[in-house]
Every structure is written in C-alpha cells, then in structure tokens.
Amino acid sequence: METGKVVVEKIGGKSTVIRCFSKYPLKIIIPNKVGSSQTDAVWIYTITYGGGIVSGDSISCYISVGESCTAVLTTQSSTKVYKSVGSKCSEQILEATVGRDALLVIIPDPVTCFSTAKYSQMQIFKVFHESSLLIVDWITSGRHERGEKWDFSLYKSTNRIFLEGNEPLFLDTILLEEGSQGSISERLQDYQVIAMIVLWGPKLKLIQNQIQEDVKKMMSEQFRIPSINSGHFAKAHSDHCLSKPNFIASCSVFGPKGIGVVVRIASMTTESVYKFLQHQLASMEPVLGVSPYF
C-alpha cells in the first residue's frame, strides 16, 4: 500500500500539485516556490520521521507528472539507513509516470547505510518518446567519522524504465552484499562513492552531449600514458601504473537510436561527485528555478 502520492497537472498554464498525501514513515513537503517566480517547476521533498530509514521500514511512493509539466523530486539531506535488527531489510519503492513533453528530475542526496544495515530500493518509471527523465542514484561508503567504510550488510538499487506499452527501455540493478567472496570494503578499496546518472528525452539532449564530451575528456586525461619520446616517460609511466584515479566515470547510450545516456561513477570523495553534478546540471537552472546540488 502506498505511503505517499503526488499528482502534478497543468492548471492555468502552470505545473500544479492537484493531489498529495503521505503517511508514516514518509513525509512529503512541497514548497510554494523554489527559485524564480517565472519558473514552472514543482519541487517535491521527501523526508522520513526520525531522520532516516529504520530497520524493517517499507516506503512506497507514486508520482504522476502530467503532460507538459515539470517536477523535481529531492531530499533535504542524505538518506540514512539505520542498523538492521535481526534479518529485517528496509525497502523503498518509487513508481512514476512521466507524460508527453513532461520532465521529471530525481536528484536526491546520496544514500548512507550504517553498519550492518540492509536496504533495498526499486524505482520504476513509465515514459513516452516525448518524455524527459533525469535520475541520480548514488551511495556513500557510510559514516566516515565513525570509522565505517562499506560496513553495511546489503544494498540493492534497481532502476527500470519502460516506454509506452510497457516496452523495457532501461533495466539496471546495483548489488553490494557481504559474502564469501570478500567484504564490500575489500572489493571497492579506496572508493567511497558509487553513482549513476540516467538522462532520457529531448529536454536533456544538450546535457547528454555535454556530459559525454566532458567524461571522454576527463578520462582521456586520467589514463593518458606519456609518449615514450618524453624525457619524463620512465617516472610518468611508473606513476601511471601505481596510482589509482580519484574519480572514474564512463558513459554509454541506450534506447532507440541511443537517445538515452547513462553515466557511472566511482569516486574517492563525496565532494568530487557533488562538484561533478553541480557542473553538469548547472544549465537546468532556468528550467528548475535553481541549479541542482548548489
């Protein structure tokens, strides 16, 4: 049963919330206005009572963004997942429909799982060819100040996008689980953040082009091996082999004619991912009223 629901439709030429409800443990806040009064975007903040997701919590939310509307779903801070009690797993499910010529932007702060936490989330989106959808889905290694580093038991994040008629468009699952093959910390080593950015639709085409060019340039510089004719080749080659990149990103396309883009990131710091998101999404300010993650 749903613990939250938001319906956005065009009323008087403006994106307007026509229905909103939430119940424990979810709370939904919709400010009167974010950014310029000229901006036609509804901002939706989700929070949980107690400041985080408690072991055994089950949250289910549905969002409908009507034709030609713009909506932003975000959080006020990182989503904290508290320690697991026994075998209980916390779960969160989001289902959303995005109408023709509509834009839905999912830009939460990262998930932070406490030691021994078990957490599973699923996000299901139904879109049209003319819809636009931006998803940011990311997790940090935990509470650094407590000495926790990938110390949770289970993290599973599933994202599914279906085109009209329930045609599978994008199916993805990230699974981090303690097991016989070693701890999560051993596998991820020095990397503190795993992130994914999904961009679909005509309203995000310019950002898609920019992000692909920027990632290609960044990674080319990261992994470039100096020419053997360089006098500094020996030292540079040695440093290149020994050092780990602080920030790794890759891009790939999906969907008909490759009109969707997915970016995957592994980073040694949360700050560098915030900066990347700020830079790449800054051009959305005129549409959303404020720049994401600033």
Side-chain angles (χ1 to χ4, degrees):
M1 187 173 179
E2 292 168 352
T3 51
K5 183 173 185 176
V6 180
V7 178
V8 181
E9 293 289 349
K10 212 77 163 179
I11 304 293
K14 284 284 188 180
S15 298
T16 306
V17 175
I18 63 168
R19 187 176 181 196
C20 175
F21 86 86
S22 59
K23 64 180 182 179
Y24 184 88
L26 177 67
K27 186 174 182 180
I28 294 174
I29 298 175
I30 301 176
N32 288 332
K33 201 65 188 173
V34 175
S36 168
S37 60
Q38 305 301 313
T39 305
D40 181 30
V42 170
W43 282 69
I44 305 162
Y45 288 83
T46 59
I47 62 175
T48 52
Y49 290 90
I53 297 176
V54 177
S55 179
D57 274 352
S58 180
I59 298 170
S60 177
C61 187
Y62 173 76
I63 295 177
S64 173
V65 185
E67 185 173 332
S68 302
C69 293
T70 298
V72 181
L73 181 66
T74 187
T75 54
Q76 292 183 314
S77 61
S78 64
T79 299
K80 300 171 184 64
V81 183
Y82 295 130
K83 292 185 176 185
S84 176
V85 177
S87 61
K88 289 182 179 178
C89 180
S90 307
E91 67 172 8
Q92 191 162 212
I93 299 171
L94 170 66
E95 293 188 58
T97 58
V98 188
R100 289 183 170 86
D101 198 38
L103 169 64
L104 175 60
V105 177
I106 312 286
I107 46 172
D109 291 292
V111 172
T112 298
C113 291
F114 288 19
S115 174
T116 75
K118 296 177 182 177
Y119 176 68
S120 174
Q121 69 175 25
M122 178 177 287
Q123 301 186 134
I124 302 170
F125 304 93
K126 294 184 178 180
V127 301
F128 294 89
H129 283 93
E130 304 88 352
S131 306
S132 295
L133 174 66
L134 167 64
I135 307 166
V136 177
D137 185 12
W138 54 322
I139 180 174
T140 70
S141 61
R143 297 180 294 175
H144 299 173
E145 70 280 1
R146 296 284 186 97
E148 296 178 5
K149 179 184 174 186
W150 304 115
D151 204 22
F152 50 85
S153 298
L154 170 71
Y155 171 82
K156 183 179 181 181
S157 180
T158 298
N159 286 279
R160 297 176 178 172
I161 305 175
F162 295 94
L163 205 49
E164 50 191 306
N166 287 328
E167 177 188 344
L169 183 65
F170 180 82
L171 307 174
D172 183 88
T173 296
I174 297 172
L175 176 63
L176 300 174
E177 184 176 19
E178 290 291 307
S180 58
Q181 301 303 314
S183 68
I184 301 170
S185 179
E186 288 172 341
R187 280 173 274 160
L188 291 176
Q189 300 184 19
D190 296 325
Y191 292 99
Q192 306 294 329
V193 182
I194 299 295
M196 182 177 72
I197 307 163
V198 180
L199 305 106
W200 163 269
K203 294 184 179 181
L204 299 171
K205 187 61 180 175
L206 292 178
I207 296 178
Q208 288 180 344
N209 293 340
Q210 172 193 308
I211 206 166
Q212 289 182 90
E213 284 299 315
D214 288 353
V215 166
K216 181 179 179 181
K217 182 179 178 182
M218 288 168 61
M219 293 302 100
S220 294
E221 292 173 353
Q222 284 263 35
F223 293 104
R224 179 180 293 128
I225 298 177
S227 167
I228 197 167
N229 296 321
S230 168
H232 301 290
F233 172 76
K235 180 180 185 305
H237 182 65
S238 174
D239 290 345
H240 177 86
C241 292
L242 294 175
S243 65
K244 263 183 214 171
N246 293 329
F247 186 98
I248 300 175
S250 68
C251 281
S252 56
V253 297
F254 66 91
K257 300 180 181 179
I259 60 174
V261 173
V262 56
V263 184
R264 302 183 191 276
I265 296 169
S267 174
M268 292 188 183
T269 67
T270 306
E271 292 74 20
S272 61
V273 181
Y274 269 117
K275 288 180 180 178
F276 180 83
L277 292 169
Q278 288 168 359
H279 175 70
Q280 299 298 333
L281 304 181
S283 62
M284 299 193 75
E285 180 177 359
V287 178
L288 305 183
V290 295
S291 292
Y293 295 110
F294 273 93

